[in-house]
């Protein structure tokens, strides 16, 4: 199952809006075939492995990271293919949360006489598809708040300078996170101040998929010359509460889609925006700044996960460039709590020129 999980991970960023799935076929104690779902619209992991195994699939045991599907989508049901291949036992990491499947694949396999086991490395399998699990059940994106900050929690110096707090290896990791996301989102203040391109700049033999770029711009202040509107990559959506037709036309002429949404607390209603992005198939959303948008997103409860790159510096200042600002919580009991936190060193000055950063990841406790 660990091998199947590793195979599934290879397609990170290429299967959306489908989940990551890996499969391994075992017979007489040996691997006879393996496969993973490589891209949306392609063969599912079980089918890839069965095709590779050919006649060797008969009498084999299938290890698969997600319950085989039982419905007709772009491809026929995998559960039927598993039965027809003569596989005798199926070990499944986790049931499929998709309401179209949700146990029906398991039931079909059992009805056909196959031995079925469920739950091996279930936690890892659920984390593999944490974004898809939310999207398929709630129809809204899984939101990861990413920030590079000083040890005292500042994302910029008092004069607004933020390049570069994190080291080069951390910035490379961010591009990998972008490549694995369906969309990246920033506030208009960050767009104007930093003029980011918001695309993926990685060198890969098989190319990279650029995410959709989402700009939260209540007053429609995005300049038509902004780099994000002209860099190589995905579509640009500007979420606004403004009905300024002149500015709308100027931005649409540059290829952007202007999405008008209701206000909440004199800002674009972020929950309404998440619903609209869900309709557009955004499964994983990377929130990249700035301070005001971070605060609004945390206050409105749209953030699922934190990915904070801490650099070994102190910036001080008044606090207006803190990750989480605003009025703050009342009392320790009102604090937003973080679960399942991990700490990963990024770089090592003993081995390279990069001062060690630390990536702290954790999940918002709902």
């Amino acid at each position: 199952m660990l091998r199947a999980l590793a195979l599934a991970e290879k397609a990170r960023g290429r299967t959306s809006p489908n989940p990551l799935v890996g499969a391994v076929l075992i017979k007489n104690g040996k691997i006879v075939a393996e496969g993973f779902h490589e891209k949306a619209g392609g063969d599912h992991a079980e089918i890839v492995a069965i095709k590779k195994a050919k006649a060797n699939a008969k009498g084999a045991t299938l290890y698969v990271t997600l319950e085989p599907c039982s419905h007709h989508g772009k491809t026929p049901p995998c559960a039927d293919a598993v039965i027809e291949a003569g596989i005798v036992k199926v070990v499944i990491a986790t049931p499929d949360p998709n309401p179209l499947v949700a146990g029906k694949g398991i039931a079909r396999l059992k009805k056909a006489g196959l031995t079925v086991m469920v739950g091996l490395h279930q936690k890892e399998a659920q984390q593999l598809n944490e974004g898809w699990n939310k999207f398929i059940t709630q129809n809204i994106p899984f939101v990861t708040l990413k920030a590079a900050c000083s040890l005292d929690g500042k994302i910029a110096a008092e004069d607004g300078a933020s390049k570069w707090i994190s080291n080069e290896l951390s910035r490379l990791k961010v591009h990998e996170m972008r490549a694995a996301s369906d969309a990246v989102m920033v506030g208009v203040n960050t767009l104007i101040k930093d003029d980011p391109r918001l695309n993926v700049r990685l060198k890969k033999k098989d190319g990279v998929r650029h995410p959709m770029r989402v700009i939260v711009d209540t007053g429609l202040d995005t300049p038509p010359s902004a780099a994000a509107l002209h860099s190589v990559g995905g579509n640009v959506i500007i979420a606004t509460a403004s009905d300024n037709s002149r500015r709308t036309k100027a931005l649409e002429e540059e290829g952007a889609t202007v999405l008008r949404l209701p206000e909440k607390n004199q800002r674009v209603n972020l929950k309404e925006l998440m619903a609209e992005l869900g309709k557009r198939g955004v499964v994983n959303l990377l929130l990249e700044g700035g301070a005001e948008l971070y605060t609004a997103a945390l206050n409105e409860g749209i953030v699922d996960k934190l990915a904070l790159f801490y650099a070994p510096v102190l910036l001080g200042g008044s606090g207006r460039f803190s990750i989480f600002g605003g009025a703050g919580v009342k009392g320790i009991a009102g604090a937003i709590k973080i679960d399942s936190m991990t700490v990963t060193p990024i770089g090592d000055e003993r081995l390279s020129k990069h001062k060690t950063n630390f990536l702290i990841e954790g999940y918002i406790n709902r």
Side-chain angles (χ1 to χ4, degrees):
M1 189 62 77
L2 290 173
R3 174 61 181 163
L5 288 164
L7 286 167
E9 184 63 44
K10 287 185 174 184
R12 173 78 61 186
R14 300 201 304 272
T15 64
S16 188
N18 294 344
L20 296 163
V21 185
V24 176
L25 278 169
I26 302 288
K27 190 174 182 180
N28 299 324
K30 296 181 179 180
I31 292 177
V32 295
E34 58 186 28
F36 60 97
H37 181 45
E38 296 186 21
K39 62 180 180 179
D43 283 340
H44 290 188
E46 305 95 313
I47 306 303
V48 174
I50 289 169
K51 285 182 176 179
K52 288 181 179 178
K54 299 180 181 178
N56 278 329
K58 188 174 183 179
T61 294
L62 171 67
Y63 286 80
V64 63
T65 59
L66 186 69
E67 174 185 359
C69 63
S70 55
H71 67 291
H72 282 270
K74 292 183 178 180
T75 57
C78 290
D80 290 353
V82 170
I83 295 165
E84 292 168 6
I87 292 167
V88 296
K89 182 178 179 180
V90 182
V91 184
I92 300 166
T94 186
D96 192 333
N98 185 345
L100 294 174
V101 183
K104 295 174 185 175
I106 293 170
R108 187 173 295 189
L109 295 172
K110 287 182 176 180
K111 186 177 180 180
L114 281 72
T115 299
V116 181
M117 297 176 62
V118 183
L120 182 63
H121 289 294
Q122 183 168 4
K123 182 178 179 181
E124 294 94 324
Q126 289 177 341
Q127 189 171 18
L128 178 76
N129 285 307
E130 59 192 9
W132 183 79
N133 292 339
K134 179 184 179 183
F135 175 80
I136 204 66
T137 55
Q138 300 180 42
N139 300 313
I140 55 176
F142 181 92
V143 179
T144 299
L145 187 160
K146 184 279 301 180
C149 49
S150 62
L151 288 181
D152 51 343
K154 303 296 172 55
I155 62 172
E158 196 65 7
D159 62 357
S162 60
K163 293 182 179 180
W164 295 101
I165 293 176
S166 59
N167 66 24
E168 188 176 344
L169 295 178
S170 292
R171 299 196 293 276
L172 179 63
K173 175 69 174 176
V174 170
H175 281 280
E176 293 173 352
M177 293 169 70
R178 284 183 183 176
S181 301
D182 300 292
V184 297
M185 185 168 80
V186 298
V188 67
N189 291 338
T190 295
L191 185 87
I192 292 171
K193 180 172 67 71
D194 295 340
D195 199 22
R197 284 176 279 177
L198 300 179
N199 59 1
V200 177
R201 296 185 291 281
L202 293 172
K203 294 181 180 179
K204 288 188 175 182
K205 291 181 180 179
D206 55 355
V208 295
R209 184 181 68 114
H210 296 281
M212 176 190 295
R213 285 160 277 182
V214 181
I215 302 162
V216 181
D217 181 3
T218 304
L220 209 55
D221 296 315
T222 299
S225 61
L229 274 63
H230 303 283
S231 58
V232 174
N235 298 328
V236 178
I237 288 182
I238 301 174
T240 185
S242 171
D243 59 359
N244 188 310
S245 59
R246 180 181 58 81
R247 292 182 182 178
T248 297
K249 182 181 179 182
L251 292 167
E252 288 178 341
E253 286 177 349
E254 299 301 329
T257 298
V258 177
L259 180 62
R260 193 164 291 110
L261 294 169
E263 286 188 12
K264 182 176 181 181
N265 299 324
Q266 298 182 322
R267 299 181 185 279
V268 168
N269 187 316
L270 294 179
K271 288 187 176 179
E272 293 282 349
L273 175 56
M274 294 304 104
E276 289 295 329
L277 293 178
K279 292 176 184 177
R280 288 164 168 77
V282 175
V283 176
N284 289 289
L285 173 68
L286 187 63
L287 171 54
E288 293 209 37
E292 291 186 15
L293 187 54
Y294 288 152
T295 300
L298 287 165
N299 282 333
E300 291 198 33
I302 69 164
V303 178
D304 297 288
K305 183 178 182 179
L306 300 177
L308 307 179
F309 293 86
Y310 280 91
V313 296
L314 298 171
L315 294 177
S318 63
R320 64 193 177 107
F321 291 116
S322 296
I323 298 167
F324 185 26
V329 301
K330 294 183 179 179
I332 300 301
I336 296 174
K337 296 175 177 61
I338 313 301
D339 291 337
S340 304
M341 196 174 76
T342 60
V343 181
T344 306
I346 307 291
D348 187 339
E349 57 263 37
R350 294 172 301 176
L351 304 176
S352 71
K353 64 180 180 180
H354 303 289
K355 289 290 185 181
T356 304
N357 288 185
F358 288 92
L359 171 59
I360 297 182
E361 296 175 284
Y363 297 85
I364 303 293
N365 184 319
R366 298 288 182 209

